[in-house]
Amino acid sequence: MEVIDILKRYSSIVDEELDRVLATVEPDKLQESSEHLIRAGGKKLRPALVMLSCEAVGGKREDAVKTAAAVELIHTFSLIHDDIMDKDEMRRGKPSVHMIWGEPMAILAGDTLFSKAFEAVLETGTDHVPSENVISALKTVVGSCIDICEGQAFDMCFEGNFDVSEEAYMKMIYKKTAALIAAATKSGALIGAGSPEQVEALAEYGKLIGLAFQIQDDYLDVVSEEEDLGKPVGSDIVEGKMTLMVVKALANASSEDKEEIISILKTNSDTNVERAIELFEKYGSIKYTYDVAHDNVERAKQLLDIVEDSSAKEALMLLADFVLERTH
């Protein structure tokens, strides 16, 4: 069983549901702008996690499809609005939504996806899924939306602030990235009628691989080859981003080296990327970043002991490893 094959299989299932959910959107410009990023591709990791978590606790995959679509709609909504805020012109190798349809229509497209997500969860109506489980899944999805907004706000507040603690950084990436992945696994387990212990374990599994996913991004930014990354190595350094690597280096550096790191981050130039990486190496922050991501993935896999052996459980184990094995 290969990760890419797993993601393709579940992607095709959720794509059909996404087409159905968005088929009624009008006028045409709003429908086209809403569908743009979904049609541009993406791994569809989050909806796969919803369906696999449902299956892992003994539920039926088809019962979780609407919630899986909802999670992907929320992820896509957040990307459209992020691109507007960050003024990013490209996403998934194509022009961003606001670059084609303008900011007002892009905002509406994001709002449409956001609203359709809740509609999709509420349409879960089968003999297998008790209504209270659907309501709990909806609460989980709603909670992750609040977290995403708070995480984005924290991230914006960190700009130009070089006194961010590791605890504050981890809280930000949990809210911005890991919360929706945790919501994916938790809502899937709820729809699958898992026991309270199974639901909690799968929620924590999602949180841990979500944190590892973002931390691995920080790590790949300085250790990958440009052709694998699809962007220049050290672009986080050029943009002056606070990453776990930066936070750890600043916490351990001598006052002189700390000043140099901050100076490089403030420059927004690629001329000192190599020097920054040297300083990260000096204070062990590159290895530390990898070790934290690795530890989170190992802990996540151990949590899966709570469910019986199955192809879904095996897929969840492989997806946890994939977080570390990917090159971009």
Side-chain angles (χ1 to χ4, degrees), residues 100-112:
I100 301 174
W101 288 277
E103 283 189 14
M105 188 62 74
I107 291 167
L108 287 173
D111 291 347
T112 299

Side-chain angles (χ1 to χ4, degrees), residues 186-251:
K186 182 177 182 179
S187 61
L190 285 163
I191 296 294
S195 68
E197 294 78 17
Q198 287 175 327
V199 170
E200 192 53 43
L202 279 159
E204 186 66 13
Y205 160 91
K207 173 185 173 180
L208 288 169
I209 67 166
L211 290 170
F213 193 95
Q214 183 58 56
I215 293 165
Q216 184 70 357
D217 270 358
D218 295 354
Y219 176 75
L220 290 173
D221 185 66
V222 301
V223 302
S224 295
E225 298 295 330
E226 187 170 330
E227 53 267 30
D228 289 331
L229 268 184
K231 60 180 182 178
V233 174
S235 61
D236 286 349
I237 297 167
V238 175
E239 291 172 25
K241 281 188 180 177
M242 289 302 283
T243 63
L244 182 58
M245 207 173 292
V246 172
V247 169
K248 190 67 177 174
L250 288 175

Side-chain angles (χ1 to χ4, degrees), residues 233-284:
V233 174
S235 61
D236 286 349
I237 297 167
V238 175
E239 291 172 25
K241 281 188 180 177
M242 289 302 283
T243 63
L244 182 58
M245 207 173 292
V246 172
V247 169
K248 190 67 177 174
L250 288 175
N252 293 340
S254 66
S255 55
E256 188 179 333
D257 286 345
K258 184 174 179 177
E259 277 182 30
E260 186 176 0
I261 293 168
I262 291 171
S263 173
I264 292 169
L265 293 169
K266 282 181 175 177
T267 306
N268 298 127
S269 163
D270 60 4
T271 52
N272 292 310
V273 166
E274 284 186 21
R275 175 58 182 155
I277 293 172
E278 278 177 22
L279 289 164
F280 295 161
E281 287 273 18
K282 179 178 178 180
Y283 291 101

